[in-house]
Amino acid sequence: MIMKKILFSVVCLMMVGMQSVKAQVAIAALHHNNAVTIYAAAQIQEAIDAAEPGDTLYLSEGIFGGFTVAKPIAVIGAGQTTQISSDVTIGNNGTTLETGFLLSGVNLLQDLNFKYTIDGARIMQCMVDGNCDFSSSYSTDNFSNIEILMSYIKGYLDLSSKIQGITIVGSKIGQVRNGTAGEGGSTFLNCSIGQTYNSGGSANNNNYVNCVVGTIYTGVLSNCLYSVYYSGYGAVIHECYQDDFTMPDNLDSPYTDEELRTKGYLGTDNTVVGITGGQAPFSLVMPVVQVTEHSLEVNQAERKLRVSLKLGNK
């Protein structure tokens, strides 16, 4: 599909210091009403600001800057080769983020922050090298209908008493900190978690089902496999399995699926406990449309720039 618009800054980027006729650069393709606008990686915030509710922003492989978003759009990368170099913030002062935001298929090299008021957001098949933080919000804000699916948070997931409802499915999390509030609270299904910990708040509104947990301090756990349990912190354990294992650094299951079944460590749905069980097993492989190929060609003689963009599945 021929691009509707080529930004002047992309032209400058390619013309300055270019020795070859063909080069690859990271680009963002904003889809709006069957039209496509191309932005350079450094202009990702400009692309998000230009997006309207319901639009999709596709990110190619490469490195992009951080951004703030507070509108129901989809931001979809090409997988772990789409890297975001600084913090991403979901939510904006004075604006309620309504149901419909999706962040999928990106590798966040820093932190993922939720702020202000958010009613509906989905994080799917993302890797967060830093932390996922709900705790830096303001007193009048609240979060509801938040989903984290098949993602890997290497640091901590810092929850907040302002969370009214969050569901985490098939994900790997280094540490769960603090608790949630409201009737919805928080629910972890078929997750792999380094430890559950609480420095205050209502941590026993954190519910873990069919999870594998290295060390338990707090929370309500049902049908989970754990290694170490510190009873003095108030955790509630229902029909869980205890085994002496060391949680791998990458938070993969300490046992194969065959070993889990042999040991009888099954979830409430009769699949194995942990990230390989359940209806949405952990995977960072994107099943959705991505920017699979992109190139820029410069014709020095005719002083023309050609952008090629291919969407598909890898």
Side-chain angles (χ1 to χ4, degrees):
M1 180 177 182
I2 299 176
M3 301 298 101
K4 301 294 184 180
K5 179 180 178 185
I6 305 296
L7 293 182
F8 177 74
S9 59
V10 179
V11 177
C12 295
L13 177 66
M14 295 306 302
M15 295 300 292
V16 175
M18 179 176 293
Q19 302 298 322
S20 64
V21 174
K22 192 172 184 178
Q24 294 269 344
V25 296
I27 58 174
L30 177 60
H31 283 225
H32 172 72
N33 288 343
N34 296 320
V36 179
T37 303
I38 299 298
Y39 293 83
Q43 295 172 311
I44 186 170
Q45 186 64 61
E46 182 178 334
I48 287 173
D49 292 344
E52 297 184 15
D55 287 354
T56 299
L57 183 65
Y58 291 103
L59 307 182
S60 71
E61 297 179 345
I63 299 177
F64 298 80
F67 56 86
T68 296
V69 59
K71 59 182 70 174
I73 64 173
V75 179
I76 300 177
Q80 301 318 298
T81 54
T82 298
Q83 298 182 331
I84 311 298
S85 61
S86 54
D87 289 1
V88 170
T89 298
I90 301 173
N92 199 9
N93 191 15
T95 302
T96 299
L97 177 58
E98 299 175 351
T99 301
F101 175 70
L102 168 67
L103 179 65
S104 183
V106 299
N107 182 359
L108 282 70
L109 303 181
Q110 298 294 328
D111 295 338
L112 175 61
N113 302 307
F114 290 79
K115 292 185 177 181
Y116 311 107
T117 298
I118 301 175
D119 181 13
R122 173 177 288 187
I123 310 301
M124 184 172 70
Q125 291 176 297
C126 291
M127 180 181 290
V128 181
D129 287 357
N131 306 311
C132 182
D133 189 4
F134 287 86
S135 67
S136 300
S137 55
Y138 294 85
S139 60
T140 58
D141 304 328
N142 61 76
F143 308 100
S144 57
N145 300 313
I146 310 294
E147 293 182 306
I148 299 176
L149 309 176
M150 296 172 283
S151 294
Y152 183 7
I153 300 171
K154 292 185 178 181
Y156 55 76
L157 173 61
D158 202 345
L159 300 174
S160 166
S161 60
K162 300 160 192 173
I163 292 177
Q164 304 300 310
I166 180 171
T167 303
I168 301 94
V169 180
S171 296
K172 302 196 291 186
I173 302 170
Q175 180 185 113
V176 179
R177 293 177 23 169
N178 297 321
T180 57
E183 294 182 1
S186 63
T187 301
F188 296 78
L189 301 173
N190 286 98
C191 291
S192 183
I193 300 168
Q195 66 175 234
T196 67
Y197 183 75
N198 183 42
S199 58
S202 51
N204 279 352
N205 274 351
N206 298 345
N207 298 288
Y208 304 87
V209 181
N210 297 351
C211 295
V212 175
V213 183
T215 302
I216 297 173
Y217 288 95
T218 57
V220 178
L221 295 93
S222 301
N223 214 89
C224 294
L225 170 64
Y226 67 92
S227 178
V228 179
Y229 166 44
Y230 288 99
S231 59
Y233 289 82
V236 179
I237 297 179
H238 299 294
E239 298 182 350
C240 291
Y241 314 108
Q242 194 279 329
D243 201 346
D244 293 325
F245 63 85
T246 299
M247 181 69 78
D249 290 340
N250 64 2
L251 298 179
D252 282 343
S253 174
Y255 303 109
T256 65
D257 284 4
E258 182 178 353
E259 289 173 329
L260 289 170
R261 289 191 179 92
T262 299
K263 291 173 176 286
Y265 300 151
L266 300 178
T268 56
D269 55 3
N270 206 39
T271 63
V272 295
V273 298
I275 57 173
T276 56
Q279 296 182 349
F282 173 79
S283 173
L284 294 177
V285 178
M286 294 288 295
V288 298
V289 175
Q290 308 161 43
V291 178
T292 57
E293 295 180 14
H294 64 283
S295 65
L296 295 175
E297 297 181 25
V298 177
N299 188 320
Q300 299 282 7
E302 298 183 8
R303 303 185 68 179
K304 290 183 178 180
L305 180 68
R306 178 182 177 83
V307 179
S308 297
L309 181 68
K310 182 178 180 180
L311 301 179
N313 295 316
K314 282 196 171 183

